[in-house]
Structures are given as C-alpha cells and as structure tokens.
C-alpha cells in the first residue's frame, strides 16, 4: 500500500492545477516516426511540436501575468489588514487620529479619522461595500489566504510548464536528428 500511495502522490505533484497538457517524451523515435499517421514525415511532427511549444509559451505568459498580479495584490491586502488593525485599536478612543492616504498615483492626502467600527472596502468592478471592522478583517484575511494559495498553484504550474518545455524541446531535437540521419542514409544509398 505504501508504494502505491507514494506513486499516486508523485502523479498528483506532477499534474497541473490549470489543466496544462503534459508533453509525452518520445522513448523510441524510430518507432514513433514510423507509426501510421506520421509515416516518417519529420516536417509534420516538427510543426506539431513547434505548435505545442508555442501554446506552452502562451500559457507561460498568462501564468506569469497572473503571478505578477497576485504578488501585487497580496501586499495591498496586507496593508489593508494593517489599517483595519489600527482602526480597531482606535475604535474606543475619543480622539481622532491623523493619517495620510493615497488619493491618486503618487498623491497623498492628510486626513483626520474619527473612531469608527465600520469601514468601506473596494471589492472590484467599481463596487464598494461597508463592513464592520471584524467582518472586514475576516474577509481580508480570507482573501490573503486565497491569494497565497493561488500564488502557490501558479508557481507549481510554472514549474510544471518548464518541464513541458524541456520535454517538447528534447522531442524536437530528437526528431530533427532522426531526420538528418535518415537523409544522410538516403544519400549513402544513392
């Protein structure tokens, strides 16, 4: 049982969370190239592998963009949590506290904030909702956990994708070399 469960764990580790197709390594290039639909057509196989490689590049671009967004989102959420903590400390005070906030890019504004037990959060798509401080803290912490988990999935998929690049590139080189050998053999036979 231990050996089978380890194999299952390894299979799960190897797979992609985003459903990236796995590149199959050509064990026996001669056998693969002589199979029925291919019939030794190296150009067709190389074109197919090049197309697969391009698809992997596109997936990589999307994953890198997603990783970049998550790496910006997590610190923003953590800053919001810090602000909620500050508001929680000040909630029972009778004195306003002074702070600065970002009005637009590189423009800060000074503000005097009265004690409060409510806060408004941007949810996206031009939507803002008012929450109690406790509910806002819970929502932000949940969003941080989700963003960190998603970042882990993206990192895993990028690693998986690098393996697919390598496998595809090795397959391309092996088919190219097979074709060169075939052409050289045909010249010798002529």
């Amino acid at each position: 049982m231990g050996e089978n469960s380890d194999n299952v764990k390894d299979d799960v580790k190897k797979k992609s969370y985003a459903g990236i197709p796995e590149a199959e390594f050509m064990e026996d290039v001669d056998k693969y190239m002589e199979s029925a639909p291919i019939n030794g057509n190296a150009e067709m196989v190389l074109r197919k592998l090049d197309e697969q490689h391009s698809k992997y590049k596109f997936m990589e671009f999307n994953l890198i963009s997603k990783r970049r967004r998550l790496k910006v989102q997590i610190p923003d959420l953590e800053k919001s949590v810090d602000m909620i903590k500050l508001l929680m400390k000040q909630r029972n005070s009778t004195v306003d506290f002074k702070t600065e906030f970002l009005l637009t890019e590189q423009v800060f504004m000074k503000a005097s904030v009265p004690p409060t037990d409510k806060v408004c959060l941007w949810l996206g798509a031009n939507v803002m909702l008012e929450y109690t401080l406790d509910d806002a803290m819970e929502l932000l912490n949940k969003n941080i956990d989700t963003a960190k988990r998603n970042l882990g999935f993206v990192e895993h998929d990028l690693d998986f994708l690098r393996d697919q690049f390598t496998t595809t590139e090795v397959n391309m080189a092996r088919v190219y070399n097979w074709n060169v050998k075939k052409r050289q053999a045909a010249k010798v036979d002529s």
Side-chain angles (χ1 to χ4, degrees):
M1 166 131 183
E3 186 176 313
N4 287 340
S5 64
D6 288 344
N7 288 341
V8 170
K9 286 179 187 175
D10 288 342
D11 286 344
V12 171
K13 285 180 191 174
K14 289 168 78 175
K15 301 299 177 195
S16 160
Y17 290 107
I20 298 168
E22 188 170 1
E24 291 187 37
F25 180 71
M26 291 181 201
E27 289 289 335
D28 186 349
V29 178
D30 290 323
K31 185 176 179 181
Y32 181 83
M33 292 304 293
E34 298 305 324
S35 65
I38 296 165
N39 292 327
N41 188 343
E43 288 79 21
M44 180 183 78
V45 173
L46 287 170
R47 204 171 27 250
K48 182 178 143 191
L49 289 170
D50 187 53
E51 181 181 313
Q52 183 179 19
H53 192 268
S54 295
K55 287 178 183 177
Y56 287 143
K57 278 288 185 195
F58 179 73
M59 290 176 208
E60 179 187 43
F61 174 78
N62 288 331
L63 286 171
I64 287 172
S65 296
K66 188 173 186 177
R67 178 178 63 184
R68 190 178 308 119
R69 281 191 311 272
L70 287 168
K71 285 189 172 189
V72 168
Q73 180 185 24
I74 291 169
D76 284 348
L77 289 169
E78 289 171 342
K79 286 178 191 174
S80 295
V81 164
D82 291 342
M83 189 62 196
I84 299 291
K85 287 178 182 176
L86 180 62
L87 289 172
M88 287 175 148
K89 275 187 195 175
Q90 298 292 327
R91 125 170 81 188
N92 296 324
S93 175
T94 57
V95 180
D96 295 358
F97 71 94
K98 307 279 187 225
T99 189
E100 292 181 355
F101 65 94
L102 187 63
L103 187 59
T104 62
E105 193 172 322
Q106 298 184 0
V107 177
F108 286 85
M109 190 78 182
K110 291 183 180 184
S112 178
V113 181
T116 183
D117 62 342
K118 298 206 184 282
V119 67
C120 293
L121 297 178
W122 283 107
L123 300 180
N126 294 325
V127 175
M128 179 184 273
L129 288 178
E130 184 177 72
Y131 289 91
T132 65
L133 295 177
D134 294 328
D135 289 344
M137 181 68 81
E138 183 180 330
L139 177 67
L140 289 170
N141 283 326
K142 186 176 103 179
N143 288 350
I144 289 170
D145 291 342
T146 301
K148 286 180 178 179
R149 186 175 64 247
N150 288 342
L151 182 59
F153 293 159
V154 168
E155 294 290 353
H156 171 84
D157 282 351
L158 281 168
D159 287 341
F160 178 81
L161 201 52
R162 283 184 205 101
D163 291 343
Q164 305 325 297
F165 276 128
T166 302
T167 301
T168 303
E169 290 164 355
V170 167
N171 286 343
M172 291 170 82
R174 294 181 82 201
V175 169
Y176 179 82
N177 291 339
W178 177 89
N179 195 34
V180 168
K181 286 179 185 177
K182 181 181 166 192
R183 286 182 185 175
Q184 287 174 345
K187 282 183 182 178
V188 170
D189 291 342
S190 301

